[in-house]
């Protein structure tokens, strides 16, 4: 859909008192919208001078795989599986990493929006960060290009959403550590602006832990090392991490302090990235179900690309698995019963 006014979907949504997903349905003449709601959106469009042309039949084109970066092995795993699934379906792809020294995600979208793009798969993209504007994706969706998001939920876009359950990941990690006698358990996650970090922190607090047991840094080994220093100093005997890279940083900090893993400190990661079974010690971690998530997202995207059907915006959550290796063990004697 090619817009010829400066009004955005968000402007229409605010004027009509509905979500941008509902506005998109009305503008694309999709079913499932009440008559009075449809009339309200159409009236708002007329009042704001929003005019648009209906898109013609979609030309066959490639699918863009959007990623925050490729240095994190979990994103690389998603890219590889997504590419193989789309290739098997006869769809061309290109990978768009939004690394710190290259193009940003919104710059990629701006370059792609007027091409013959058939669809987009976005992994941990813009919607996962509540400080970023959704406008770049609103523009893409307004042109009738279907999008599926992985680990980046929002109720403000007409798209498909597929995520690993962060709450289940935290619950399984904490349950495992408690069976080993740990009571002083800490959580090392990314900044609060990221949806997965907020979800993990909320699940952790729901298990009875206070904010003093949560350290928010960056999803890197360096971030994990910083978080570990603070949590170790405050007497924690086990640390649950928001990523495997953070967990490796925690282990590094423990060793810098002359501590042994798991004898003095137990560590749990998240993702089960390649090679985590071969670290020293092998990392206990939560395995994110990368392939099932990718298969569901690609299947939905291919249907939307094939017949123009509307993507269901209901977020689909996938169950993670706790993989127990040698980085977790019994709480140190005399510290297990600390409050």
């Amino acid at each position: 859909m090619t817009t010829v006014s400066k009004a955005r979907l968000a402007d229409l949504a605010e004027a009509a008192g509905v979500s941008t997903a509902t506005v998109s349905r009305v503008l694309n003449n999709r079913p499932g919208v009440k008559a009075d709601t449809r009339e309200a959106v159409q009236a708002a469009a007329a009042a704001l001078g929003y005019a648009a042309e209906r898109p013609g039949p979609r030309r066959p084109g490639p699918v863009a795989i959007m990623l925050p970066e490729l240095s994190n092995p979990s994103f690389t795993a998603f890219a590889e599986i997504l590419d193989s699934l789309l290739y098997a379906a006869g769809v061309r792809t290109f990978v768009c990493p939004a690394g710190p020294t290259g193009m940003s995600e919104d710059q990629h979208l701006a370059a792609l929006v007027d091409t013959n793009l058939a669809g987009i798969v976005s992994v941990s993209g813009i919607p996962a960060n509540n400080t970023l504007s959704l406008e770049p994706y609103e523009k893409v969706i307004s042109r009738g290009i279907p999008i599926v998001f992985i680990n980046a939920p929002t109720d403000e876009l007409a798209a498909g959403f597929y995520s690993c359950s962060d709450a289940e990941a935290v619950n399984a990690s904490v349950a495992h550590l408690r069976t080993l006698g740990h009571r002083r358990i800490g959580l090392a996650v990314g900044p609060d602006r990221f949806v997965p970090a907020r979800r993990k922190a909320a699940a952790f607090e729901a298990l009875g832990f206070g904010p003093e047991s949560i350290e928010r840094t960056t999803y890197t080994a360096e971030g994990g090392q910083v978080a570990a220093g603070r949590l170790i100093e405050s007497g924690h005997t086990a640390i649950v991490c928001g990523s495997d890279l953070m967990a490796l940083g925690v282990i590094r900090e423990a060793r810098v302090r002359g501590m042994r893993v798991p004898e003095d400190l137990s560590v749990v990661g998240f993702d089960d990235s390649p090679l985590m079974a071969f670290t020293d010690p092998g990392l206990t971690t939560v395995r994110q179900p990368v392939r099932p998530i990718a298969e569901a997202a690609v299947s939905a995207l291919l249907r939307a690309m094939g017949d123009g059907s509307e993507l269901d915006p209901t977020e689909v959550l996938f169950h993670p698995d706790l993989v127990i290796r040698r980085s977790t063990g019994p709480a140190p004697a005399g510290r297990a019963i600390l409050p």
Side-chain angles (χ1 to χ4, degrees), residues 73-97:
S74 67
F75 297 142
T76 306
F78 267 116
E80 182 177 2
I81 293 176
L82 289 167
D83 179 72
S84 65
L85 291 171
L86 289 163
Y87 177 78
V91 178
R92 293 175 293 126
T93 65
F94 50 89
V95 177
C96 301

Side-chain angles (χ1 to χ4, degrees), residues 95-174:
V95 177
C96 301
T101 59
M103 291 178 65
S104 64
E105 189 173 357
D106 55 347
Q107 288 173 328
H108 278 299
L109 292 171
L112 295 170
V113 71
D114 291 321
T115 67
N116 68 329
L117 197 65
I120 294 176
V121 183
S122 176
V123 181
S124 299
I126 285 175
N129 186 335
N130 64 8
T131 65
L132 300 179
S133 170
L134 298 176
E135 183 177 359
Y137 276 111
E138 291 175 349
K139 290 181 178 178
V140 175
I141 292 172
S142 72
R143 284 159 171 76
I145 299 172
I147 304 174
V148 291
F149 291 95
I150 293 175
N151 291 331
T154 177
D155 58 4
E156 294 299 318
L157 293 174
F161 301 93
Y162 304 85
S163 304
C164 177
S165 175
D166 293 295
E168 288 188 38
V170 169
N171 291 343
S173 300
V174 170

Side-chain angles (χ1 to χ4, degrees), residues 9 19-26 28 30 127 134 137-138 140-142 144-149 154-161 301 304 309-314:
L9 294 187
S19 68
T20 55
T22 299
V23 171
S24 178
R25 292 189 184 96
V26 173
N28 287 285
R30 301 289 192 187
L134 298 176
Y137 276 111
E138 291 175 349
V140 175
I141 292 172
S142 72
I145 299 172
I147 304 174
V148 291
F149 291 95
T154 177
D155 58 4
E156 294 299 318
L157 293 174
F161 301 93
L301 182 65
S309 60
E310 184 177 356
L311 289 160
D312 187 344
T314 304

